[in-house]
Amino acid sequence: MKNREYPENREWKQKAFGMPKLPSGDIGQDKVLYYILKMVKDGKSANTMLNIEGSNSTATLGRMCERIRPIGLVNKEKQVWTLTELGEMVLERQDSCFSTAVFCSTIVFMGEILFYLQEPKNTQELLKIAEEYHLNWKTNSEIHNRIKWFRDVDMVRFKEYKLEDSLTQKGQEFLQQIEITMPSETEEEPDETLLETQLPMSEWASALKPATTEKKRMAIGYMPGKTADACITISAYLQLMNQAISIEEIREYSKVNYQIAVSSSNMFLSFLEKIGFVDRISKNMYVTSELGNTWLEKQSPVDLIACLDARYLFVYELLAELRKEPKNAKTLSIIAKVSYGFDRESIEETRKRLIRGCKKSCVFGK
């Protein structure tokens, strides 16, 4: 029977993809989490070093807060970390089951691991199952980080002689109280707008003045996650930068949630700046711009395409080509080079313009 006191499960795509890696020392990750939350509540400086018995971690409070921010336990307001309502609840209860329920409701393939460990499995078997959820992790670290938490709260036991993990009685009882997502539930849902001949565009988006062709760019550059999830990804970053934030914090967020390198994070940040969604207010500080906040109100893929067309080549023109007749990405990339200013054929750049929700004939009625 599901425990109604536990947080409601987020939609799969709204969950954090990375399990925050917390030091455990001699006390376990759950106790470290409470220690971090208590430091935040007490107003400790973000530069304060954690002092955890049995751990040689050199992480600061600010670094740990960046790691747990996607779960919804902390916020940053005017450069000061504060607890959210959920964070307050976790700290007040200091209950390993409730804390684990928070993680399972906000992180992909968390509670699901418990479901599959009803029969003993090793890391490679779990990694293979994760692929069914479209989680193509290249290393074992994400599995290990999740298992470490479960071991620390006594929900999973490790059989060293078999190199397998399995549920404890506590894990079995907890599993019955949470919601689990099955692989079939993570498949792309049919797009309800497929039968529409025209999608609405906001007035502000229609009124955008595009740059001249000579000033428009060809390369959109790197974007974390799937192109189909562009609106979700951009929305997450703009909300992260709702208040001024340092580039180091943005890189940490990118690493934790998308497992991407510093260079990839920098490229995506550059894209957000070029499209006008973020402002760089100092050498290392960024904040969501007025345009970015306006787009956030509806998070419309159509409005996003309008913003892309204002700064990049072959956006509306691509849609016009698709209106004439269906074409594959290869053909479109050739057309982009021959007729629309691309300096080379690029299937990759063409595909980046095919954002979900906008590959319709006559999308804008333009």
Side-chain angles (χ1 to χ4, degrees), residues 101-222:
V102 171
F103 277 33
C104 291
S105 68
T106 56
I107 302 172
V108 298
F109 204 59
M110 188 72 183
E112 290 70 28
I113 282 184
L114 294 180
F115 176 81
Y116 289 106
L117 286 182
Q118 292 180 92
E119 296 292 334
K121 289 180 177 60
N122 60 37
T123 299
Q124 290 304 311
E125 289 174 315
L126 291 172
L127 200 61
K128 191 69 176 175
I129 293 170
E131 292 180 4
E132 298 177 24
Y133 289 83
H134 312 289
L135 301 171
N136 299 313
W137 291 321
K138 305 302 182 184
T139 68
N140 298 332
S141 61
E142 286 296 334
I143 299 294
H144 287 165
N145 291 344
R146 287 160 171 76
I147 291 292
K148 180 66 172 67
W149 173 273
F150 287 131
R151 289 179 187 170
D152 282 358
V153 297
D154 299 320
M155 291 187 183
V156 163
R157 70 168 64 90
F158 179 58
K159 296 180 181 179
E160 189 170 358
Y161 69 99
K162 287 186 175 182
L163 298 179
E164 291 179 337
D165 285 284
S166 61
L167 291 190
T168 62
Q169 182 64 33
K170 180 179 178 180
Q172 288 279 8
E173 293 173 357
F174 175 78
L175 177 61
Q176 304 309 311
Q177 301 180 60
I178 62 171
E179 295 181 29
I180 298 300
T181 300
M182 302 308 293
S184 59
E185 298 175 68
T186 67
E187 299 298 329
E188 294 288 343
E189 296 180 0
D191 193 333
E192 66 275 12
T193 65
L194 281 175
L195 299 179
E196 296 183 12
T197 58
Q198 183 173 327
L199 294 176
M201 178 186 288
S202 299
E203 287 187 17
W204 65 264
S206 299
L208 286 175
K209 294 183 179 179
T212 62
T213 301
E214 293 75 19
K215 291 186 177 181
K216 285 189 176 184
R217 298 172 179 272
M218 168 188 162
I220 290 176
Y222 177 80

Side-chain angles (χ1 to χ4, degrees), residues 224 233-241 250 253-254 258 268 272:
T233 302
I234 292 172
S235 172
Y237 274 86
L238 295 186
Q239 291 179 59
L240 173 70
M241 291 181 272
I250 297 169
Y253 175 86
S254 301
Y258 296 97
F268 182 56
L272 293 177

